Amino acid sequence: MKFWKRIAVAGMATIAALSLAACGSKSSSSSTSTSNSYTPKSLNIQFVPSSNANTIEAKAKPLASLLKKELGIPVKVTVSTDYNSIVEAMKSKQVDVGFLPPDGYVQAHAQKAADVLLMAQRFGIKQPGGKSTDKLVDSYRSMIVVKKGSSIKSWKDLKNKKIAVQDVTSSAGYIWPIAELSQKGLDIVKQDTLVTVKDHDQGVMSVLN
């Protein structure tokens, strides 16, 4: 247990520097073992592909360096190929610590692959207007992005459109937006053409292109 507490302390000192920019990247760091005696010879940390993999790995380097210094063992940071593979990797103990979105954590915890070690917070966004506040929150919003000057002015205009979405297990990029639109009476799974993109950056770029 002391080992994981040291990870938590080091992680809290670094997590603010990560600034993982993604609508669906509210992340929690989770261990693959509940055993108090479990101490790996090396530490494998993995993030979901909420944005460009190279960007995530670059921003996570300070965390890897700090943990390596504090724990005295090799630390490797990678980005999973999709939102599901990180759960499987934690379940098979190929990954020790995962930064997971809500749905990923629920799946991992249900399969006894993860427990919460840290939970990220970010500055809130005041609506309407979208201005940042100085209040830390543990929630976030999804966004529907269209080109400037688009004829799409509200959710009602989304019918029969081509829409870029994230992986089906992405909370902000798929699950909650589709659920809320469905409650409003718009089933975009049936009424629109959905194109799955790998991360939120690509989602924005697909709209611009």
Side-chain angles (χ1 to χ4, degrees):
M1 184 61 70
K2 289 183 178 180
F3 177 81
W4 298 111
K5 285 183 178 179
R6 289 168 67 190
I7 291 179
V9 171
M12 284 188 287
T14 311
I15 197 166
L18 295 177
S19 300
L20 299 178
C23 293
S25 67
K26 173 186 174 183
S27 306
S28 63
S29 179
S30 309
S31 72
T32 58
S33 173
T34 57
S35 171
N36 291 344
S37 61
Y38 175 62
T39 302
K41 294 181 180 179
S42 62
L43 190 70
N44 291 309
I45 300 174
Q46 194 165 88
F47 290 81
V48 294
S50 55
S51 61
N52 181 274
N54 291 333
T55 300
I56 295 176
E57 289 180 351
K59 289 183 176 181
K61 279 185 178 180
L63 174 62
S65 298
L66 178 60
L67 288 174
K68 180 180 179 180
K69 179 180 178 181
E70 292 293 325
L71 302 175
I73 59 174
V75 177
K76 182 180 180 181
V77 174
T78 58
V79 179
S80 62
T81 55
D82 56 46
Y83 280 65
N84 288 318
S85 61
I86 188 172
V87 176
E88 292 302 317
M90 294 186 74
K91 187 177 179 180
S92 62
K93 296 188 178 181
Q94 296 176 27
V95 168
D96 301 297
V97 177
F99 280 72
L100 301 167
D103 183 72
Y105 170 71
V106 170
Q107 290 187 51
H109 185 70
Q111 297 178 45
K112 302 185 185 303
D115 288 311
V116 173
L117 187 63
L118 292 173
M119 184 172 70
Q121 289 186 315
R122 65 196 70 204
F123 290 113
I125 303 295
K126 187 177 181 180
Q127 296 293 347
K131 291 186 177 181
S132 298
T133 70
D134 57 1
K135 181 181 178 181
L136 288 173
V137 299
D138 56 7
S139 60
Y140 54 93
R141 292 176 177 268
S142 296
M143 298 177 67
I144 297 174
V145 180
V146 299
K147 279 186 177 180
K148 184 177 181 179
S150 170
S151 61
I152 301 174
K153 303 300 181 183
S154 78
W155 65 268
K156 296 178 182 179
D157 301 323
L158 293 174
K159 187 176 180 179
N160 298 323
K161 296 296 190 296
K162 189 175 183 180
I163 303 175
V165 295
Q166 303 297 308
D167 188 279
V168 294
T169 58
S170 170
S171 300
Y174 191 94
I175 297 173
W176 295 118
I178 287 181
E180 184 167 343
L181 289 171
S182 179
Q183 289 179 349
K184 292 177 179 293
L186 177 61
D187 186 348
I188 66 171
V189 175
K190 294 181 179 179
Q191 298 174 314
D192 293 83
T193 300
L194 303 185
V195 179
T196 302
V197 294
K198 191 171 183 179
D199 55 51
H200 297 284
D201 296 354
Q202 287 188 15
V204 174
M205 292 304 298
S206 65
V207 171
L208 297 177
N209 294 329

